[in-house]
Structures are given as structure tokens and as C-alpha cells.
Amino acid sequence: MKVLISGASVAGPVLAYWLHRYGFEPTIVERTPAMRHGLGGHAVDLFGPASEVARRMGRWDAIEAARTRIESMTIERFGKRPVHIDLSRLYAGIASGHVEILRGELTKVLYDATRDSTEYLFGDSITSLNDDGAGVDVSFESGEERRFDLVIGADGMHSNVRRLVFGPEESMRRPLGGYLAVYSMPAVLGLGDRMLGHLSVDRLCGAYGVHQTGQERATFLFRTPHELRYDYRDKDEQKALLRKEFRDYGWKVPQLLEHLDSADDFYFDSISQITLDTWQRGRIALVGDAGFCPAPAVGGGTSLAVVTAYILAGELAAARSDPPSGLRNYERAIRRLVDLSRGIGPRVMRSIIPTGPGAVRLMPIAAAAVPKLPIAVQRFIWSQNAAGKALTSVPLPDYSDLTRAPRAV
Ligand SMILES: Cc1cc2nc3c(=O)[nH]c(=O)nc-3n(C[C@H](O)[C@H](O)[C@H](O)COP(=O)(O)OP(=O)(O)OC[C@H]3O[C@@H](n4cnc5c(N)ncnc54)[C@H](O)[C@@H]3O)c2cc1C
């Protein structure tokens, strides 16, 4: 059975890996001319169940070896003493099996796990899909036309497959009222393996060190009273917007903004969720951010992408002779996880981008106190918060009896 996957970042390669293990023939089309792996981009998290999927793929050691090494964070505020947070103890307590890794590094590990068993088509994109009930005819930008048994959109928050099959993004995008900007710069703050942040009402900014490049990555999260209007393809316009928002901020922001113009990996987007109620139609489905982005940087999207891709492959394998019913079973299996994960972004946003002076005062103190609690108490707190509840809401199914051939690498 031939499966076309659009998008080669996290969900796409995880899905391709497992589909191959179950005897399917995966093809991945990725619009960038080469794999977007490497040391650019942002740091993402794998929590418990996603880490378990990586272990089942035999990739945990490679992921751990590539992890970021940020173990402490200092939060500064205007007129208050800095607060130091022991992140390693925090993660050890609240989320066993947690790893933080640059998205490009994670993609590299996943690409290495699939490159010999998956057909990769780089620098191309789907232009049309026609599902006739027995298969899907696909046209590509390159002019090629092919037929697949199934097509899966794993092409992120601004998914192309979703637009072609489920409609325009505007109708399903739920802005959470914040914005996010990230870019690389020289190590101007001398952070090493530390993260330094500055907190004020509606603002969190700072940087963290990237040990693999010796550079630092500037990060800005902010809330605005009204939605900002900008062209999502126009990086210069977005840089000007960021500059305007933080022009008079003070602190170390002028040092960070000095490197904005020369940043070639600048990322800017609204912190929004994708709120579709269904992720499958006939022989076409969505996975990861394409289907249910829980909001970048604040929603646990990477773990969700890994776990849902694993479940999608398993449900397709279980319903082998009837792919549409496999897709419906996938939707049923992940619905609770997706529903609960929608609660993560708004809560995390409220706690990391303070809405008032009280939150500016209390948030760092609370964050610094948690790692000092006994591990069992930290685990209880994690189990009660939105991220912990969502990610543990669906026991990871065991599809091992469905695997067909050992992975060909
Ligand atoms: C700045 C930032 C910080 C973040 N921080 C965190 C964090 O701390 N923790 C966390 O868990 N998550 C974080 N996230 C979210 C995380 O990156 C996503 O949830 C995760 O990458 C989702 O994986 P995905 O494979 O579904 O989609 P993506 O990683 O978005 O990948 C989509 C892929 O599809 C490709 N594509 C797009 N359009 C097309 C097309 N037309 N044709 C073919 N291919 C296409 C893209 O090039 C890309 O390779 C952050 C995101 C951002 C932007």
C-alpha cells in the first residue's frame, strides 16, 4: 500500500518509519529543497509517551546525544532580584523521559531512521488531490502526477494538504493573543548552557546558548491587545513589527535587536491553535501540527506530533484492508489527547507571559520553588497540570504484533 506524506519534519518521518515497519510503502514530499535538519530553528520537547515512541524506534540514544544542554534559567525583572531555576531538576521531577532538542537535530535523527526505507521528494509540493474512493490522484508542483492509496498531511501549522481538503486556514485558526519570534545571533550575552529571560507584563524575552554552534538564540514572546496584521511571507515586515514592539523595552533588548537584521533563520508567527473537529476524510488525513497544532512553543506540539504519528501508523496497520476505517479509528484513538492538549497553550501562555504585575512577581518564585520539592510531589503537580494530563490521557498502544519486516537500514 502506497502512502504519500506531505512534510518531512517530525510527524512525517515518524509516520513513515512505522508505516514501513508494518509493510506499507511511504513516500514523503517536502517543499524545502533539502532536509531542514541541522542546528538552526528552535528547541522542542519530547515528554514521556513521545520519548517512549523514540525508544521503540531505537532512536532514543541518538536523540539524547543531540539534546540541548540547558540546565538552568535565570529570570530577571525590572526592579526585582533575579530568580534562578534548576531546569534539570524540574524536568527530572515533572516529566520523566523528557528531552529538549533542536527541531532540526530531531529531524536529522528521524531522517536517518527512514532515509533507506522511504522515498523522499524534496523541493516539491502537492497542488491537487482527487480521492475517488479507491485511491488518490495527486498532482505536484513539479508537474508530476501519481496515484497513492492514502495521503497524509504532516505539513505543519500552515498545512497545504489541510487547505486543499478541509478549507482555508482562517476558518480554523484560533489565535491565543500572543506572538513569538526566534533567531540566532552571536553569543553576545555569554550564556554558555544557560537561558536568560526578562519578564514584564505581556512580555517575555531573552536568549539561550546553543552548545553545538557556540551561538545564542534570541527569543521574544509577547501579547498585543489587537491582532497584528502582516504578510506571513514578508520577513522584513515581521522584523520591523518586532522592533516596534520592543523598541523602548530596555534591559538587554538593544543587544538582541542589533542582530535581528542579519539573522537568516528569523521565525515570527502568531501563537495560534488549529481547531478542526475532524482530521480525516476518505483516504486523506492530517497528523501533528497540520491537524491540531496546540500552539507553537507553548503547547507541547512536538510530543503530540510524535505520538499521533505513531498511533496513525498503528491504526492503519490494524485496519490494513480498509484504510478509511483505519483513519476513522485513528481519529477516535487520539480525540481525547487532542482535546486535552488544546488546554495546554492558553494555560502555559498565561503563566509564562504575565498578564499583570502580580504574575510578574509570583511566576518566577513558583517556577524556582517546584524543583526544590521532593520528586514525588513534583510528579503529582505534573500529573495535575494541563500538559501532564493531556500527554498521559491516552495509554500508548502496543502495535508490535503488526510489524512485518525488520527495518531496512
Ligand atoms: C519558535 C517555535 C518554538 C517551539 N517550541 C516548542 C517547544 O518548546 N516544545 C515543543 O514541543 N514544541 C515547540 N514548537 C512546536 C513544534 O515545532 C511543532 O509542534 C512540531 O515541529 C510539529 O511537527 P510537525 O511535523 O507536525 O510539523 P512541522 O515541524 O511544522 O513540519 C512541517 C513540515 O512540512 C513542510 N511543509 C510545509 N508546507 C509544505 C508543502 N506545501 N509541501 C511539502 N512540505 C511542506 C515544512 O517544510 C516542514 O518540514 C515550537 C515551534 C516554534 C515555531
Side-chain angles (χ1 to χ4, degrees), residues 8 54 72 106 154 161 167 178 244 258 277-278 282 284 330 358 365 367 395-396:
S72 72
L106 176 60
V161 171
K244 187 167 159 235
E258 209 176 295
D277 287 335
T278 181
I284 302 173
Y330 151 72
I365 296 167
L396 207 56

Side-chain angles (χ1 to χ4, degrees), residues 126 128-131 136 151 153 159-168 172 276 278-286:
I126 298 169
S128 74
L129 293 164
N130 179 29
D131 178 352
V136 188
V151 175
S159 167
N160 180 43
V161 171
R162 191 184 63 225
R163 181 179 54 77
L164 290 170
V165 179
F166 295 87
M172 51 193 81
L276 265 176
T278 181
W279 313 293
Q280 50 78 33
R281 189 170 291 171
R283 287 175 172 263
I284 302 173
L286 303 170

